[in-house]
Amino acid sequence: MKIISINAGSSSLKFSLFNMDDKKVIASGLFERIGIDGSSYTIKYNGEKIKEEIELSNHTDAVKILLDKLVTLNIIKSLDEIDGVGHRLVHGKDKYKESCLITDEVVNDLIAFKDFAPLHNPANVLGIQAFKEVLPNVPMVGVFDTAFHQTMEEEAYLYPVPYSWYKEHGVRKYGFHGTSHRYIAKTISEHLGRDDLKIISCHVGNGGSITAIKDGKCVDTSMGFTPLAGIMMGTRSGDVDPSIITYIMEQEGLNAKEVIDVLNKKSGLLGLSEISSDMRDIVAAMGNDDEQGSKAKRAFLKYTRTVTNYIAQYYVLLGGADVICFTAGLGENSEPFRKKVCENLSCLGVKIDNDANKVMGEFKKISTDDSSTLVYVVPTDEELMIALDTLKLIN
Ligand code: ADP
C-alpha cells in the first residue's frame, strides 16, 4: 500500500511517498516557485537527487509532473499503486478535532477559515484541488495542525478578554505544530511502553512551540490565536505586551499591520541579536569577545529563558513531568541550546549527560540516570503521521 503526504504552500509543494507496509519513505521531494519564473522540482529516490527546472504555472501542473515522474522514474509502476493522499492542513478552527476524509465541506471550511491562516489555508486548498483534478478517484485525508490542541480546556484556550470576542470572532488559543507534538507523544509512549505519561514536548525550529501533554492529550500549548505567540523564535517575538504595538505605531509612524509584520519577521533571534535568525550563527558569534559576542549572548539567553519559562509553567500544570522531549531544527540539533535550557531547569532535578547531548538528529535519551525527569531528543516526522492518519481513514 502506498500513500503520498503533501504539504502545499502558496508557491511550493512538498511530498513524501510512503510504502505503508514498512512505513518507509520511497521517494520525497519539493516543487518550488510554482507560478513564478524559475520554477523547478527536486525528487530524492534511491539515494539520488534529481533536479530539473521546468515551467510550473500552477499547483495542478506540479501534481501532474510529480505523478508523471513517479512513473517514468520507475518509482511506481502505475498511478493505481497510490491508495491515498494525505494533506497537511493548517487551520481547522475548533470544528476539526481530528483528521478526516476531505469532502467539499472541508474545502469550503478551509476557505471560510482563511482569515485565521491567510498564508496557509488558501495554499492548502490549491494542493487539494490539484490532486482532485489529477487523481479524482483516490481518497484524500486532511491532517490539521490545530487538531491535536482541541483537547485543551476552556481555562487553557480562553484569553482574559471580553467573552464576546471568543463567541463572535473566534478569539481563542488554537495552537499549532499539533501533528508534530502528536508524533512526539506517540513515539515516546511507544518507546517507554506507557500511555499514561506527562510529557513536555518542545518543538523548537525556526518557529517553535511547547506543549503540555497528559495521557496522550494536549493540556496546553504555547502558540496562541496565531503562531506569533509563545516562546521567542527565529524571527518571531513570541509573547509581548500588546501595548507595545500602539506605542511603536506612534513612535515609528507605522500602522498596526506593519508592527505585527516586524513582530513576525524582524524580531526574535534576528531582532535581538542583529546578527541572524539562525541559532548556528548565534552560537558561533557567542565565542567572540566583542560586540558581536555580547549581541549573540543576549539573544541566546533570552531565547533559552523563554523556552525554560514555558517548560517550568507546564511542569507545574502537569504536576511534574515524566519526559521532556526536544524536536525540530534546534531541538534535534543544537547542543548548547538544550544544555542551557536543561541547566535552567536544574532546580527541578533535571540533569543531562553532556556526552549524550552531543546527539544531532537522532532519537536518544540525553538525561542522566539520576535525573528527576527523562529528557529525550526525538526527531519529528509530520509526514509519517499524515500518512498513518490517511491509512487509518481510507481503511
Ligand atoms: P521550521 O520551523 O522552518 O520548520 P526547522 O525545524 O527546520 O524550521 O529549524 C530551522 C532552525 O533550526 C534554523 O533556523 C536553526 O536556527 C536551527 N538549526 C538547525 N540545525 C542546527 C544546528 N546544527 N545547530 C543549531 N541550530 C540548528
Side-chain angles (χ1 to χ4, degrees):
M1 197 163 218
K2 296 192 178 75
I3 284 174
I4 308 188
S5 278
I6 294 294
N7 185 350
S10 52
S11 66
S12 69
L13 189 130
K14 274 192 222 157
F15 79 94
S16 298
L17 174 69
F18 283 90
N19 177 350
M20 297 313 286
D21 301 332
D22 60 5
K23 318 274 187 299
K24 294 266 188 293
V25 174
I26 305 169
S28 63
L30 172 66
F31 287 71
E32 288 178 278
R33 300 181 63 86
I34 300 172
I36 310 173
D37 282 352
S39 47
S40 65
Y41 72 82
T42 313
I43 296 179
K44 288 192 208 159
Y45 172 59
N46 248 348
E48 272 184 59
K49 196 165 160 180
I50 302 131
K51 185 167 173 133
E52 193 185 346
E53 290 204 5
I54 193 160
E55 194 184 318
L56 304 168
S57 21
N58 51 45
H59 285 67
T60 307
D61 274 2
V63 172
K64 280 185 184 154
I65 291 166
L66 161 62
L67 297 175
D68 181 56
K69 292 292 162 193
L70 291 180
V71 176
T72 53
L73 293 168
N74 264 329
I75 299 171
I76 52 175
K77 290 198 181 65
S78 86
L79 295 183
D80 297 340
E81 285 184 41
I82 298 171
D83 299 292
V85 179
H87 290 266
R88 179 221 180 186
L89 304 179
V90 169
H91 218 306
K93 284 192 71 189
D94 38 13
K95 177 163 175 181
Y96 292 93
K97 300 186 193 311
E98 49 194 34
S99 303
C100 62
L101 283 166
I102 296 179
T103 58
D104 289 346
E105 184 184 346
V106 176
V107 174
N108 291 337
D109 283 338
L110 285 168
I111 296 166
F113 303 160
K114 77 172 183 337
D115 288 347
F116 289 78
L119 295 179
H120 294 101
N121 273 23
N124 294 161
V125 171
L126 291 175
I128 294 172
Q129 284 167 341
F131 273 93
K132 203 170 159 188
E133 200 177 321
V134 186
L135 286 181
N137 299 319
V138 175
M140 296 198 282
V141 166
V143 180
F144 290 91
D145 267 17
T146 45
F148 182 61
H149 302 301
Q150 281 296 312
T151 48
M152 280 188 289
E153 290 184 347
E154 234 180 25
E155 60 191 289
Y157 71 71
L158 285 180
Y159 288 108
V161 294
Y163 190 64
S164 59
W165 290 9
Y166 165 59
K167 286 313 259 181
E168 287 165 30
H169 307 300
V171 171
R172 53 159 284 173
K173 181 186 278 197
Y174 290 103
F176 299 89
H177 295 138
T179 309
S180 174
H181 291 299
R182 184 157 60 95
Y183 176 83
I184 299 304
K186 172 176 145 48
T187 304
I188 203 71
S189 296
E190 283 171 3
H191 176 72
L192 297 174
R194 281 177 59 187
D195 292 330
D196 62 340
L197 293 170
K198 296 180 208 170
I199 303 167
I200 300 176
S201 170
C202 309
H203 177 114
V204 189
N206 193 25
S209 65
I210 316 288
T211 295
I213 300 164
K214 189 162 186 278
D215 304 335
K217 295 196 170 70
C218 168
V219 178
D220 205 347
T221 190
S222 62
M223 279 182 169
F225 178 63
T226 71
L228 180 54
I231 61 169
M232 172 171 156
M233 300 171 231
T235 61
R236 282 175 244 169
S237 61
D239 300 336
V240 292
D241 180 342
S243 305
I244 293 171
I245 298 171
T246 45
Y247 178 73
I248 290 298
M249 283 167 67
E250 284 160 20
Q251 296 301 312
E252 301 216 344
L254 300 174
N255 65 36
K257 276 206 166 120
E258 288 166 336
V259 180
I260 293 287
D261 212 44
V262 176
L263 294 177
N264 265 308
K265 297 183 187 149
K266 294 184 182 157
S267 300
L269 274 181
L270 176 66
L272 215 46
S273 70
E274 300 178 321
I275 297 171
S276 168
S277 63
D278 192 309
M279 186 55 97
R280 285 165 286 200
D281 301 331
I282 302 298
V283 169
M286 278 191 340
N288 301 345
D289 201 10
D290 57 11
E291 201 196 336
Q292 286 296 93
S294 51
K295 285 175 159 189
K297 268 177 226 147
R298 74 179 175 224
F300 180 82
L301 290 177
K302 183 70 191 177
Y303 195 100
T304 46
R305 165 90 54 118
T306 69
V307 173
T308 309
N309 287 351
Y310 266 101
I311 297 176
Q313 182 188 330
Y314 290 161
Y315 189 93
V316 173
L317 178 68
L318 291 169
D322 298 302
V323 204
I324 296 171
C325 294
F326 288 104
T327 194
L330 271 107
E332 290 172 31
N333 299 302
S334 181
E335 176 196 1
F337 160 74
R338 292 187 301 245
K339 183 167 189 268
K340 180 65 183 157
V341 169
C342 292
E343 274 172 14
N344 289 349
L345 295 167
S346 63
C347 70
L348 301 176
V350 174
K351 278 192 215 163
I352 56 164
D353 175 327
N354 287 331
D355 270 341
N357 188 38
K358 292 193 175 114
V359 64
M360 287 177 82
E362 272 173 53
F363 183 95
K364 194 174 177 81
K365 177 178 159 225
I366 60 167
S367 49
T368 58
D369 288 343
D370 61 343
S371 174
S372 61
T373 303
L374 295 164
V375 184
Y376 276 83
V377 171
V378 184
T380 194
D381 196 341
E382 289 154 291
E383 293 76 19
L384 175 61
M385 206 70 221
I386 292 169
L388 288 170
D389 282 8
T390 304
L391 179 68
K392 198 163 130 192
L393 279 155
I394 63 175
N395 276 339

